[in-house]
Amino acid sequence: MLDLIFSVLCSSLIFVIFKLFDTYGVQTLFAIITNYMVACLTGLLLYQEPIDFASIPSKNWFLGTVFLGILFIVIFNIMAKTAQKVGVSVASVATKMSLVIPVIVGVFAYQEQLSFLKIVGILLALAAVYFTSVKQKSLVITKDVLLLPILVFLGSGTIDASIKYFQETQLEVQEYPIFSATVFAVAACTGLVFITIKSFGTPLKINLKNILGGIALGIPNYFSIFFLLRALQNENWNSASIFTINNVAIVMFSTLLGIVLFKERLSIKNWGGILLAVISILLVALY
């Protein structure tokens, strides 16, 4: 349970930090690349076995880390734009609505059993993230605004389902830090390619503000994945329960942080969504 709580806290901090990037003028792409370097270094420091870098490409999970690393930085950039243009709560909701993807994969690929009340809880979770994301009628929904959450939804769901796959079939517990570090290393390398291309049109400033932003993002980013992998080991809960609780709790917490820190206003529907989120977590966790 503690692993799940820590994963929720770290993931919620990511959305807040993205919002602060916009507030303080941090260049998102540069900070994201720095964040992946910091996350990679954190994983290497936590790995307790001797590190043989030459053997990593021969690991069964290596090609998967290449896929995840590229997807991570693409979705992270889209997530950041969603938080900045639409709001922290919408960004987190779009991310966590994707819980349906790993849940479906868990049921069909791993034959996980869901009780009737768990199914009700998952359906309520989907309703919760929808109502939490509903904005005031004055918000003009443009194609760009709609496209960003959809892309975050699809990408985040694919990431979660992939993490479950590797945890279930490829990884030993002691490999979690080096696996995570490798994913972040690939993401950093991919980001360096992006930043090189981008620099031709918009020069990126290497300054203390961008570096500190990347460090602030990298540490919770690493531990959000690390603790999620640990939480997935829980024998009392299947992955459908863990992803549902994790995602809905992040929606609740990041939305509340948006209210407290950024004065984001919630409608009656939004508060109703939070209430549904609490009920869904109780159903999924207890039944």
Side-chain angles (χ1 to χ4, degrees), residues 121-139:
I122 292 170
L123 293 176
L124 286 178
L126 295 176
V129 293
Y130 169 75
F131 284 113
T132 306
S133 68
V134 172
K135 290 293 184 180
Q136 300 295 332
K137 292 182 179 179
S138 59
L139 176 66

Side-chain angles (χ1 to χ4, degrees), residues 24-200:
Y24 291 99
V26 175
Q27 290 183 293
T28 301
L29 182 57
F30 186 92
I32 284 176
I33 294 171
T34 304
N35 129 83
Y36 282 127
M37 293 178 179
V38 171
C40 176
L41 180 61
T42 303
L44 294 177
L45 291 174
L46 290 176
Y47 189 52
Q48 298 179 352
E49 304 292 330
I51 301 176
D52 182 6
F53 292 102
S55 68
I56 292 178
S58 64
K59 298 286 187 181
N60 293 334
W61 42 259
F62 177 71
L63 289 179
T65 62
V66 175
F67 166 74
L68 278 176
I70 295 172
L71 189 59
F72 263 41
I73 196 161
V74 171
I75 296 303
F76 233 46
N77 274 280
I78 297 174
M79 193 187 301
K81 289 182 179 179
T82 304
Q84 293 164 4
K85 292 186 176 182
V86 190
V88 172
S89 60
V90 173
S92 64
V93 164
T95 304
K96 301 314 164 188
M97 194 82 164
S98 65
L99 68 90
V100 297
I101 296 177
V103 166
I104 292 172
V105 171
V107 170
F108 288 98
Y110 309 117
Q111 288 75 51
E112 294 181 347
Q113 300 297 316
L114 297 178
S115 67
F116 174 75
L117 288 178
K118 281 189 185 294
I119 294 173
V120 172
I122 292 170
L123 293 176
L124 286 178
L126 295 176
V129 293
Y130 169 75
F131 284 113
T132 306
S133 68
V134 172
K135 290 293 184 180
Q136 300 295 332
K137 292 182 179 179
S138 59
L139 176 66
V140 178
I141 304 295
T142 65
K143 290 182 178 179
D144 291 338
V145 170
L146 184 62
L147 180 61
L148 287 173
I150 289 174
L151 291 176
V152 170
F153 166 81
L154 294 174
S156 298
T158 302
I159 288 172
D160 284 347
S162 299
I163 288 173
K164 171 59 182 175
Y165 169 77
F166 288 113
Q167 184 272 332
E168 184 78 22
T169 65
Q170 305 288 331
L171 288 170
E172 301 292 335
V173 174
Q174 65 271 17
E175 291 182 314
Y176 289 174
I178 194 67
F179 171 81
S180 302
T182 306
V183 171
F184 291 129
V186 173
C189 292
T190 305
L192 289 174
V193 173
F194 284 178
I195 207 171
T196 300
I197 296 173
K198 187 177 178 65
S199 65
F200 290 109

Side-chain angles (χ1 to χ4, degrees), residues 221-241:
N221 189 21
Y222 171 82
F223 282 108
S224 68
I225 301 300
F226 176 77
F227 285 120
L228 179 59
L229 283 168
R230 285 169 55 102
L232 286 168
Q233 296 179 75
N234 193 310
E235 297 180 354
N236 297 322
W237 290 343
N238 56 28
S239 65
S241 299

